[in-house]
Amino acid sequence: MTTYYTKSHEWIRVDGEQAIVGITTHASEELGELVFVEAKDEGTEVAAGDAAAVVESVKAASDIYAPVAGTLAGFNEALSDDPTLVGRDAEGEGWIFRMTVSNPDDLKGLLTAEQYKSL
Amino acid sequence: MFPAAFCVELGASASSRLEIEWTGLFRMSDSLQRTPLYDLNLELGAKMVPFAGFEMPIQFPAGLMAEHLHTREKVGLFDVSHMGQIRIAAKSGDVKEAAAALETLVPADYVGLAAGRQRYGLLTNEEGGILDDLMVANMGHDLLVVVNAGCKVQDADRIEKALSDRCVVTRQFDRGLMALQGPAAEAALAPLCPAVKDMRFMDVIETELATATGPVKVTVSRSGYTGEDGFEIGCAGADSEKVARAILAQPDVLPIGLGARDSLRLEAGLCLYGNDIDVTTTPVEASLGWAIQKARREGGSREGGYPGAEVVLKQVHDGVPRKRVGLLAEGRAPVRAGAKLFADAEGQKEIGVVTSGAFGPSVKAPVAMGYVASDYAALDTPVFAELRGKYVPLHVRAMPFVAPGFKR
C-alpha cells in the first residue's frame, strides 16, 4: 500500500486499483471540528479534481476532490454518526470514501508524503 | 456541485479556507484597517481575516466550536471595535430633541427612551428598505449610537446630513468596543467595575473600569448579540488594550472570534446586516416589526415620520408577501446562505431563500434563517432546501433557537 497526496490536501492510499481517500491532518487542523461529512453516491464516475465529497465545519463547507479519475466505491459510514472522527485521525480511521482507480499510472502525478510536507 | 460563493474550497491555500466567507463586505484590494486591539489579538494567537474593511480575529487557538460553547457556558470577550460609535447631541442641550431628530431616520420610539436605557432600531430608506440596524442609548445628555462596521461611514453621513441643523453629530470611530458575553459575564466584570451589578438588560451607564495602571472611563451597556447575558464596553482607543487585558485576567474569560460570534447570533435568531437584512428587505418582511414601537405605528402619537414610512405602515396593516423565519433541518447537513427553498421535495415550487445557515454548536443541529413566501411562514411548516442537487427537509421554527440568558 502506498499513500499519495494532493496540493489540495487530500491523501489517497492505494492497494492495486482499490483506494481510500481522506483529508490530511494539516487540512483537518485548519478546518477545525467537522459537523458533517458526505460523499457522492457509490458508482459515481469522477475525473481527477472533481468534487467527490464535502466536509463541513460550523461555518464553512469544503469540497473534497478525487485525486485521480475513477469510480466511487463507498463512504465511511462511521462519519455519518461521528464526523469528528476526521479530526481525531484524519489519515487513518477518518478516511472519507473508497474509490476504484481507473488508471494506476495517474498516481505518478501526485505528491509523495515528503513532497506534500515541503509545500 | 454547490454555489462557489458559499463553499470554501479545500483546494485553496490552507490558510485562506475560513477567510473566504468573510470577505463579502470587502474587496481584497482595499487597505485594511486595524482595531485598537489588533496587537493583542495577534498576541492571543488569533487567525486574522478581512471583514468589513478591518483585519479581524475569526478565531483564536481554542477554535470556533470551543469558543461558541465557552460563551454559552461561561464568558467570552469579543473585539467589536470595528463597529461605529456615534454621539448625537442636540444644540439646545435637550436629549429629547436629539431623540426626536433621530426619529426622522429610524422608526423606533427614542423620545420615549429613558435616560440610561438602550434600544435597537433600523435606519430605513425611502422605499422602506433597511440601510443598517443599530443600537441607540440615551446617555442623559446625548445619544450614543452603535452601527455596523460596513455601514458606519454612510450611516454617519446620513445622520449628519439630516440632523446637523439641530444636532452635533460626532464620529467616534477611533474608540474601542468590546462585548463580554455569557452567563459569567457579570462575575467577570463586577470586580473591575462594581456598578454593573445593578444593571439590567439594556441599561447603559458611564463609569470607570479598573486596569493595571488605574481606572479608565468606559461606557457600559448590558446587551450584546449572542442571546446571552453580557455587556458591551466602549472606551478610548488608547485604553482598549488595558481594558481588554484586565477583563481577560478574570477567571473563565476567553477571547472569542467573529466565527463564533456568527454562530452565536444565528442561534439567538439575530440578523446579520448584509445577509439577513439589507436595502431590499423591509422591517416587516424581516420580522422586525417589534423594533417599531407603538408610538410610531398607525394611530400612535408620532406615527410614521421616517423614510419609507408609507411603505412600512401599509405593510404592517396589509401584510407582506414574504417573511424572515427560523429554519431547523431534520438531518445533520448544514444548509447555508444562498440555498433555495421549495414547498416540495421535488424542487418544483420555489418559495424562498436561506440568508444565514450554519451548524449550531449549542443546538447540536443545523440552524438557519431565511425568507419564505408568507403562506409558508407559519410555525412548523415543512419546507425543502436545495443542497448539492438534493432537497433536504426543514421546518419553520420559532427563534431564538436557544433560550435567552438576559437579566431582565
Side-chain angles (χ1 to χ4, degrees), chain B residues 265-266 269-271 276 324-327 354-356 368-370 399:
Chain B
R265 69 90 197 163
L266 176 54
L270 299 167
C271 293
D276 308 302
R324 182 179 63 94
V325 296
L327 298 163
V354 172
T355 51
S356 283
M369 63 172 82
M399 293 187 286

Side-chain angles (χ1 to χ4, degrees), chain B residues 19 22-35 38 48-57 81-83 148-153 173 258:
Chain B
E19 302 169 11
W22 290 90
T23 56
L25 293 169
F26 163 77
R27 295 189 306 280
M28 289 298 285
S29 57
D30 292 345
S31 64
L32 291 170
Q33 299 180 69
R34 293 174 174 180
T35 74
Y38 176 81
M48 305 297 278
V49 300
F51 180 75
F54 281 78
E55 257 183 284
M56 297 300 293
S81 306
H82 58 315
M83 299 181 77
N148 281 304
C151 307
K152 65 187 183 183
V153 173
F173 294 169
L258 285 184

Side-chain angles (χ1 to χ4, degrees), chain A residues 29-87:
Chain A
E29 285 168 2
E30 287 292 322
L31 286 169
E33 191 169 318
L34 297 184
V35 299
F36 184 75
V37 184
E38 183 179 72
K40 285 194 173 175
D41 293 339
E42 197 171 334
T44 304
E45 289 187 18
V46 290
D50 279 359
V54 62
V55 298
E56 305 214 19
S57 62
V58 172
K59 180 71 190 130
S62 306
D63 275 342
I64 307 303
Y65 303 124
V68 292
T71 306
L72 301 193
F75 173 61
N76 183 358
E77 292 294 343
L79 301 180
S80 298
D81 296 332
D82 185 10
T84 66
L85 188 54
V86 176

Side-chain angles (χ1 to χ4, degrees), chain B residues 125-177:
Chain B
N125 68 15
E126 283 62 26
E127 289 76 48
I130 300 170
L131 290 164
D132 199 5
D133 60 344
L134 72 178
M135 295 294 284
V136 176
N138 179 341
M139 303 306 291
H141 34 85
D142 65 352
L143 302 177
L144 169 59
V145 181
V146 180
V147 301
N148 281 304
C151 307
K152 65 187 183 183
V153 173
Q154 70 173 51
D155 288 354
D157 288 348
R158 183 174 177 85
I159 292 167
E160 196 162 5
K161 192 176 170 207
L163 273 56
S164 59
D165 58 331
R166 288 195 273 174
C167 300
V168 177
V169 177
T170 309
R171 299 166 201 229
Q172 299 188 316
F173 294 169
D174 56 348
R175 279 174 70 82
L177 188 66

Side-chain angles (χ1 to χ4, degrees), chain A residues 3-18:
Chain A
T3 306
Y4 302 89
Y5 296 81
T6 69
K7 285 180 185 169
S8 50
H9 308 288
E10 291 93 6
W11 55 263
I12 178 167
R13 190 162 300 140
V14 191
D15 187 1
E17 290 184 344
Q18 298 303 310

